[in-house]
Each structure stands twice: as C-alpha cells, then as structure tokens.
C-alpha cells in the first residue's frame, strides 16, 4: 500500500488531532501579534502622541527626557500591569472552570475578587498608605480562599459544595465592603469605589515587577499541575483508582487559581468578565483543554484586558473611567447567555 493510500485511510479524528498543534501554533502567533500591536498602540497613544520609533527609544531610555518620562513612568507600567493581570485572570478562570466542571466558575463567583476588594477597602479604612493596597488585595484573596477551604472541607471538597460556599463567601465579603464604603469619610469613599470597580491607573514599576515575578511562579505551578487536572477530568472515582487523591489535588489547583486571581486583583482591582469569558472563547476556537490551550488562554486574557484599557482611555467620551466598567459591561450579557445555555434541556437521541 502506498503512502498516499495510508494518508487517505487515516481516520478523520486522527487527522484532526494531527492538525491541532498547527492550529494552536497559528492561534498563538496571531494572539502574540495582536498583543504586540496593542502594546505599541498603548505606548504611542495619549495626550502626548508619540511615533512608534520615539516610543521604543523612550522605553529603553533614549531620546527626549520628556518622552522617556511619559513612556517609562506612565505608559509602560500600565501596559505591563494589564498584560500580567490578563494572563493571571485567564489562567485562573480556566483552572477554576475545569476544577469545578462548571462553565460559570470564575474568581468573581468563587469569592476571590470579593476577598481582594475586602482587603483593599479595609486598608483604606485604617488610613494606611495606599501603596500597600496591592498587598492588601492579595491578602484578601487568600482570606477568601481560606474561608472557601474551611467551609467547604466537609464532604471532601465536592464540586457542588465548593460552588455554593464560594457564592456565600463572595456575597458576605461584598456586603462587608459595601458597609465600609458607606461608613467612609467622603474623601475616601470615592477612592474606594473606584478601586472596587477595577482600575489600571497609577501603577508603578515596584508593583508591576513584584506581581510579575509572583505570577510567573504561580504559572509554573499551574502548568506543573496539568497532569493531575487531566486525571481529575476523568471523575473522582477514576482519579482515585489511578492513585490520585481528588480532594488534595483539587485543593492544590484551587489555591493556585486563587493566587493567580488575587495577584491580578492586586494590580487591577476586581476586574470582571475576563476570567469568565476567555476560557470559553479559547475552547471554542482551539478545542479541548491542554497545556497549549492553557497558555493560549493566558495570552487571550492579556489581549482582552489591554484592549479594554485602551477603550477606556481613548474611545469612551468620559475620561477617568476604570477598566472594570468596560469588562463588566461586556460580562453581563455574556453571563446571561451562559446561564440560558446551561438551563436548556439536553436532547439525547435514542438508539
């Protein structure tokens, strides 16, 4: 039999699997090109427009001192913060949706963003320096994870219990945040409300580098746990039969996702929609989850968050809006569509 005949006899699923790495590589190249184009736009656009060459020279410290100041101290930290936070939110959302086997699972639902808001607003209430807000947000997200683990530990951290406990934690922390905002002096209430909607304004290199290093370590952990996540996809009974403790593995993955989402919230505040929608979009264009699609999810999260920030800065008629306004506006109809799809009965054909 000739090689041509062998190719013609190759089953369709096998051919699809053979084409999938090429499609992932193509999607990754397109996403990377889009991200680089957005970064270039973000560095050149603003009240002081710059050409691409001038912005690039300013980024590396050459050129007019005013250009260097604008690019290095104002635009570049905000751009990198959007990229790092987008990657963290995208990967965190993908992990949570696979761990809970629920397309509605996200840091917003599981209480992580509520914990980040609680930490930051509590810091403002104490009158401490606002430079500590990112650290307080990270602590609040970890507090939400601790509450989720404590209240959900019974019954072996089952999926249904974790989802219900996450909703309760999110609601309780959101209520505490609202109570503190109402009790704030007028000069602090506006700052607290702006932070709780998610914003990239005023990021500094200290915040960006600290968060970038921590996110990189959390991403290494996320990719290192991919094998356990693939075993969990088979179900708890099958995972136990293969020698994996489902509760322990789920807790490890949950902590990793919470750390990623908390670090992202430490940079941007509780930005909605990104962690919820990006994993769905990637699955739609790239297929079932793999380590490659997880990396593509992080890239897509960075593209979406940076795009939303550019829309806030340059396309909306009202200046000074936080990026969370755009992501929440996009997220509301997306969440409604997901809920409608989840409520539809599944039609099964009988043999």
């Amino acid at each position: 039999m000739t090689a041509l005949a062998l190719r013609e006899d190759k089953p369709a699923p096998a051919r699809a699997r053979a084409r999938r790495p090429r499609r992932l590589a193509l999607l990754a190249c397109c996403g990377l090109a889009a991200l680089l184009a957005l970064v270039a736009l973000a560095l050149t656009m603003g009240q002081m427009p710059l050409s691409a060459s001038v912005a690039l020279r300013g980024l590396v410290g050459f050129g007019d001192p005013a250009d260097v100041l604008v690019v290095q101290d104002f635009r570049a930290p905000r751009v990198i913060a959007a990229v790092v936070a987008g990657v963290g939110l995208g990967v965190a959302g993908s992990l949570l949706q696979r761990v809970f086997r629920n397309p509605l699972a996200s840091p917003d639902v599981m209480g992580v963003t509520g914990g980040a808001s609680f930490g930051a607003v509590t810091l403002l209430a104490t009158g401490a320096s606002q430079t500590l807000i990112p650290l307080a947000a990270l602590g609040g997200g970890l507090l939400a994870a601790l509450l989720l683990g404590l209240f959900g530990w019974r019954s072996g951290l089952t999926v249904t219990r974790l989802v219900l406990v996450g909703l309760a934690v999110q609601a309780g922390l959101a209520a505490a945040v609202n109570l503190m905002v109402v009790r704030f002096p007028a000069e602090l209430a506006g700052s607290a409300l702006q932070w709780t909607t998610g914003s990239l304004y005023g990021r500094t290199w200290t915040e960006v580098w600290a968060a970038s290093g921590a996110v990189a370590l959390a991403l290494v952990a996320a990719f290192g746990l991919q094998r356990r996540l693939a075993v969990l996809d088979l179900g708890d009974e099958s995972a136990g039969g293969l020698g994996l403790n489902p509760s322990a593995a789920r807790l490890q993955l949950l902590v990793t996702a919470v750390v990623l989402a908390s670090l992202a919230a430490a940079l941007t505040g509780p930005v909605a929609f990104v962690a919820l929608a990006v994993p769905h979009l990637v699955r739609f264009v790239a297929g079932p989850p793999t380590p490659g699609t997880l990396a593509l999810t992080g890239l897509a999260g960075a593209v979406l968050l940076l795009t939303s920030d550019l829309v806030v800065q340059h396309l909306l008629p009202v200046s000074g809006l936080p990026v969370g306004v755009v992501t929440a506006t996009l997220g509301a109809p997306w969440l409604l569509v997901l809920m409608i799809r989840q409520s539809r009965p599944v039609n099964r054909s009988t043999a």
Side-chain angles (χ1 to χ4, degrees):
M1 185 177 293
T2 64
L4 179 60
L6 286 174
R7 286 197 298 268
E8 289 176 349
D9 293 339
K10 195 174 184 180
R15 291 198 299 269
R17 286 194 298 269
R19 289 194 299 267
R20 193 176 180 210
R22 293 195 296 270
R23 181 169 63 174
L24 282 176
L26 178 61
L27 290 172
C29 290
C30 293
L32 186 59
L35 182 60
L36 292 176
L38 290 169
V39 169
L41 283 175
L43 293 177
T44 57
M45 296 176 65
Q47 294 183 352
M48 182 177 171
L50 302 174
S51 66
S53 60
V54 170
L56 181 60
R57 292 177 61 195
L59 184 62
V60 296
F62 296 104
D64 187 270
D67 297 338
V68 174
L69 176 66
V70 168
V71 174
Q72 287 191 350
D73 290 357
F74 296 103
R75 296 181 184 175
R78 182 167 183 158
V79 169
I80 296 178
V83 172
V84 172
V87 171
L89 289 172
V91 174
S94 179
L95 291 178
L96 288 176
Q97 289 175 13
R98 288 186 67 186
V99 167
F100 295 136
R101 297 192 290 273
N102 190 323
L104 298 178
S106 73
D108 311 326
V109 176
M110 304 314 301
V112 179
T113 55
S117 299
F118 177 79
V121 174
T122 300
L123 183 75
L124 290 174
T126 61
S129 172
Q130 295 191 18
T131 59
L132 298 176
I133 283 181
L135 184 61
L138 176 59
L142 294 176
L143 172 63
L146 178 62
L147 294 174
L148 187 62
L150 289 176
F151 293 120
W153 184 258
R154 297 176 183 177
S155 303
L157 284 177
T158 60
V159 174
T160 302
R161 185 177 183 87
L162 282 174
V163 171
L164 293 176
V165 171
L167 289 171
V169 170
Q170 176 74 10
L173 292 174
V177 168
N178 291 333
L179 178 61
M180 285 190 290
V181 170
V182 170
R183 301 283 296 179
F184 268 2
E187 61 272 14
L188 290 178
S191 175
L193 285 174
Q194 183 180 24
W195 193 93
T196 56
T197 55
S199 176
L200 287 162
Y201 177 76
R203 298 284 72 84
T204 65
W205 282 115
T206 301
E207 298 168 351
V208 168
W209 289 126
S212 298
V215 167
L217 293 175
L219 288 174
V220 170
F223 283 96
L225 293 170
Q226 282 299 291
R227 187 180 297 273
R228 298 184 183 186
L229 187 54
V231 176
L232 280 179
D233 287 340
L234 302 175
D236 287 2
E237 292 184 3
S238 299
L242 293 173
L244 182 69
N245 185 332
S247 294
R250 190 174 290 119
L251 183 60
Q252 292 171 349
L253 289 160
L254 176 62
V255 169
T256 303
V258 167
V259 168
L260 281 169
S262 299
L263 291 171
L267 277 177
T268 66
V271 175
F273 172 68
V274 177
L276 176 66
V278 167
H280 291 278
L281 296 175
V282 172
R283 281 195 296 270
F284 178 75
V285 299
T290 64
T293 58
L294 185 65
L296 189 61
T297 301
L299 181 59
V303 169
L304 179 58
L305 188 55
L306 187 52
T307 301
S308 300
D309 192 44
L310 288 174
V311 170
V312 164
Q313 293 184 77
H314 307 295
L315 295 183
L316 295 183
V318 180
S319 61
L321 290 176
V323 68
V325 171
V326 173
T327 59
T329 302
L330 295 173
W334 181 267
L335 181 61
L336 181 60
V337 169
L338 285 179
M339 294 180 67
I340 292 174
R341 291 185 60 185
Q342 286 293 104
S343 65
R344 288 178 180 173
V346 179
N347 295 324
R348 294 184 174 89
S349 59
T350 57

